[in-house]
């Protein structure tokens, strides 16, 4: 006799989760406009201000959610703090490459990096976690490798912006899974451990006359303070949305941001987009289509198996 059981949370999408994730990806997609506005400021200085001004925002969110006790517990755990240091270092690398690349007129490479990221993540899972890859996933990874090789052939070297973004974010996500706290608490810990070096760097630049916080006008000061908002808000919105969506849904929605970045780079920033880049992007888009079909196929098989169990 068939029995009805409540679906597992990860097998259900909620309108609230979809709205949260959509807002986060749209904010990330349009972030290059903000980074262009601070392109005259050195990337490390921008990253330092992203860290410092994210701390109060993240702290306020944790206070409102009543999760400050988790932070106190984390401070008492050497393992948690050690993992937070690793993820903090990786996100610093990712942010630095991102900020520099947008300001340097290489937003197309930025978009490519975030397109490659999900493919690199499944490759990382296969290597480090011994996760099995199906035929479609292997083909998708192979096409991504060909796309990177094509760009390397054109430029005479690796497209290090794209590769650097994919690798740093891929390892960040990998180690983030091992951080034994929630995503909001983890983000707070990351920016908190980065605060001392970030403040040290800001102080150094202000004392030697190269800083932009107050010395170059009110506009720069407000833009640097706003770095905390454009950094913390999308991350925390996404963290709450991801909990209310299936993994396959997140896998598809993650293409929203790089697609917007790509459109902005080509049609608004007018970055050069020659035949080699076009061919590379076509290969990546085909790879992502294959990867997405693999996600949907796996989900369909899982749901079929669950239905068979509940009908017994």
């Amino acid at each position: 006799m068939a029995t009805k059981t409540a679906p597992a949370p990860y097998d259900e999408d909620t309108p609230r989760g979809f709205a949260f994730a959509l807002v986060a990806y749209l904010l990330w997609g349009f972030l290059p406009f903000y980074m262009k506005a601070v392109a005259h400021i050195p990337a490390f200085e921008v990253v330092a201000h992203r860290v410092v001004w994210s701390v109060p925002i993240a702290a306020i969110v944790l206070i409102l959610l009543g999760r400050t006790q988790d932070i106190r517990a984390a401070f008492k755990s050497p393992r948690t703090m050690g993992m937070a240091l690793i993820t903090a270092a990786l996100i610093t690398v990712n942010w630095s490459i991102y900020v520099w690349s947008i300001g340097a007129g290489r937003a197309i490479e930025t978009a490519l990096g975030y397109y490659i990221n999900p493919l690199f993540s499944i490759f990382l899972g296969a290597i480090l976690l011994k996760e099995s890859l199906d035929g479609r996933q292997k083909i998708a990874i192979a096409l991504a490798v060909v796309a990177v090789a094509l760009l390397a052939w054109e430029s005479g070297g690796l497209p290090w912006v794209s590769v650097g973004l994919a690798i740093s974010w891929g390892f960040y996500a990998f180690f983030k899974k091992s951080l034994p706290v929630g995503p909001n608490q983890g983000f707070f810990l990351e920016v908190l451990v980065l605060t001392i070096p970030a403040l040290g760097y800001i102080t150094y630049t202000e004392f030697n006359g190269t800083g932009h916080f107050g010395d170059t006008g009110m506009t720069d000061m407000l833009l640097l303070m706003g770095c905390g908002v454009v950094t913390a808000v999308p991350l925390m919105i996404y963290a709450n949305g991801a909990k209310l969506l299936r993994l396959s849904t997140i896998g598809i929605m993650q293409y929203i941001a790089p697609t917007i970045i790509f459109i902005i780079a080509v049609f608004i920033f007018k970055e050069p987009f020659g035949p080699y880049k076009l061919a590379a992007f076509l290969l990546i888009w085909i790879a992502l289509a294959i990867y997405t079909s693999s996600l949907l196929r796996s989900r369909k098989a899982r749901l079929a198996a669950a239905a068979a169990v509940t009908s017994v």
Side-chain angles (χ1 to χ4, degrees):
M1 181 177 179
T3 58
K4 291 184 179 180
T5 58
Y10 55 82
D11 276 336
E12 284 296 324
D13 289 329
T14 68
R16 188 161 166 258
F18 184 83
F20 276 140
L22 180 61
V23 169
Y25 282 121
L26 288 174
L27 289 173
W28 278 326
F30 288 103
L31 186 58
F33 286 122
Y34 199 95
M35 293 298 108
K36 274 293 187 184
V38 295
H40 61 288
I41 302 174
F44 283 132
E45 187 176 355
V46 174
V47 171
H49 280 279
R50 290 186 77 170
V51 169
V52 169
W53 298 108
S54 290
V55 172
I57 297 173
I60 290 171
V61 169
L62 290 181
I63 291 170
L64 292 176
L65 293 176
R67 304 310 298 264
T68 55
Q69 188 63 39
D70 296 342
I71 301 301
R72 296 191 187 98
F75 285 146
K76 299 176 182 178
S77 169
R79 178 179 178 274
T80 300
M81 294 308 297
M83 292 302 299
L85 284 171
I86 293 173
T87 56
L90 288 166
I91 199 63
T92 300
V93 172
N94 187 270
W95 285 351
S96 299
I97 296 173
Y98 177 84
V99 172
W100 178 88
S101 63
I102 298 296
R106 299 173 76 166
I108 289 178
E109 293 180 45
T110 300
L112 181 64
Y114 288 120
Y115 274 133
I116 293 173
N117 178 67
L119 303 176
F120 177 75
S121 292
I122 62 173
F123 170 76
L124 203 60
I127 297 299
L128 298 181
L129 301 178
K130 307 303 180 184
E131 295 176 352
S132 60
L133 299 179
D134 62 30
R136 297 186 187 194
Q137 291 174 329
K138 290 176 182 178
I139 293 172
I141 292 173
L143 288 174
V145 171
V146 173
V148 171
L150 191 62
L151 291 176
W153 175 270
E154 179 205 20
S155 62
L158 276 177
W160 69 267
V161 167
S162 303
V163 174
L165 286 171
I167 291 177
S168 59
W169 187 262
F171 275 104
Y172 172 75
F174 174 80
F175 284 110
K176 186 86 168 178
K177 289 181 179 180
S178 302
L179 197 59
V181 292
N184 291 331
Q185 299 93 311
F187 175 69
F188 177 75
L189 283 177
E190 288 161 3
V191 291
L192 191 65
V193 299
L194 291 170
T195 298
I196 293 178
L199 281 174
Y201 183 79
I202 292 170
T203 302
Y204 169 77
T205 59
E206 293 303 320
F207 269 103
N208 70 15
T210 60
H212 293 76
F213 190 71
D215 299 334
T216 55
M218 183 61 68
T219 299
D220 281 351
M221 179 184 289
L222 293 175
L223 283 171
L224 288 171
M225 291 177 68
C227 284
V229 175
V230 301
T231 298
V233 170
L235 274 169
M236 298 187 122
I237 291 175
Y238 169 79
N240 287 280
K243 294 185 296 185
L244 303 173
L245 291 174
R246 297 187 302 249
L247 188 60
S248 58
T249 302
I250 296 171
I252 295 170
M253 291 186 73
Q254 67 184 318
Y255 308 144
I256 294 173
T259 299
I260 296 173
I261 295 172
F262 172 78
I263 293 170
I264 291 171
V266 174
F267 296 103
I268 298 177
F269 293 166
K270 305 294 184 182
E271 292 186 12
F273 189 65
Y276 281 94
K277 283 190 174 68
L278 174 60
F281 269 88
L282 286 174
L283 287 170
I284 289 296
W285 289 329
I286 293 171
L288 291 175
I290 295 172
Y291 163 71
T292 301
S293 71
S294 175
L295 278 181
L296 297 177
R297 185 182 181 184
S298 297
R299 169 172 161 70
K300 185 178 179 180
R302 190 172 66 248
L303 289 177
V309 170
T310 56
S311 64
V312 174

